[in-house]
């Protein structure tokens, strides 16, 4: 399992995302999102049957993964879309082993940048060992 820039939950992502906060009249900001989120959640459920708190709550799903499934979490410190801390939290909640979290530091790494070759090589090595194909 390889997760690159994963988010904890849709709610957490919306509360972080600056564009979502800008869409609300100030000074509402993230407070407005907290107030509006239950209405959005119910509306989405009514229209699609999708339960945002259950279906898009990735951290809860991560905690229920089978313990023998290896996982690699990759995030970028300068990611303007998904904070790097989300991958760290998912890594901590994930019961599987082996597992690893790589946090790419520096402003040159964000959500859409190509991952450095050295990190891809480390990832390939991790997966090869974890899946015992070495």
């Amino acid at each position: 399992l390889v997760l690159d820039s994963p988010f904890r939950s849709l709610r957490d992502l919306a509360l972080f995302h600056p564009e979502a906060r800008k869409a609300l009249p100030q000074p509402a900001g993230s407070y407005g999102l907290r107030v509006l989120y239950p209405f959005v959640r119910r509306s989405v459920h009514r229209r699609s049957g999708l339960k945002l708190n259950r279906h898009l709550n990735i951290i809860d799903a991560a905690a229920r993964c089978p313990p023998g499934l290896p996982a690699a979490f990759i995030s970028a410190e300068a990611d303007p879309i998904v904070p790097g801390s989300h991958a760290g939290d998912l890594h901590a909640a994930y019961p599987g082993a082996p597992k690893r979290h790589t946090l790419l530091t520096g402003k040159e790494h964000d959500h859409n940048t190509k991952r450095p070759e050295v990190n891809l090589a480390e990832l390939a090595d991790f997966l090869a060992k974890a899946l015992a194909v070495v």
Side-chain angles (χ1 to χ4, degrees), residues 46-132:
R46 241 188 349 267
R47 294 172 189 213
S48 68
L50 185 68
K51 293 183 177 181
L52 295 181
N53 285 351
R54 190 176 84 202
H55 294 111
L56 292 175
N57 192 340
I58 311 306
I59 198 156
D60 287 348
R64 293 190 310 269
C65 283
L69 183 66
F73 301 84
I74 305 163
S75 57
E77 186 176 58
D79 189 332
I81 299 172
V82 180
S85 62
H86 283 222
D89 293 343
L90 288 167
H91 175 265
Y94 186 73
K99 63 181 179 177
R100 69 178 281 152
H101 175 222
T102 301
L103 177 63
L104 303 173
T105 58
K107 294 184 183 210
E108 68 275 13
H109 302 294
D110 68 21
H111 192 77
N112 295 314
T113 54
K114 182 179 178 202
R115 299 308 184 213
E117 291 297 325
V118 66
N119 295 107
L120 296 176
E122 290 171 356
L123 176 61
D125 185 54
F126 166 76
L127 292 173
K129 288 177 182 170
L131 299 172

Side-chain angles (χ1 to χ4, degrees), residues 1-62:
L1 185 63
V2 177
L3 298 98
D4 190 338
S5 302
F7 58 90
R8 284 188 302 245
S9 70
L10 185 62
R11 179 184 179 277
D12 289 350
L13 188 61
L15 290 173
F16 165 78
H17 205 279
E19 293 302 316
R21 288 194 306 268
K22 278 197 261 183
L24 296 170
Q26 294 304 319
S30 60
Y31 173 76
L33 282 173
R34 283 186 180 91
V35 170
L36 292 175
Y37 182 78
F39 298 103
V40 172
R41 189 183 71 233
R42 282 192 295 273
S43 175
V44 168
H45 179 65
R46 241 188 349 267
R47 294 172 189 213
S48 68
L50 185 68
K51 293 183 177 181
L52 295 181
N53 285 351
R54 190 176 84 202
H55 294 111
L56 292 175
N57 192 340
I58 311 306
I59 198 156
D60 287 348

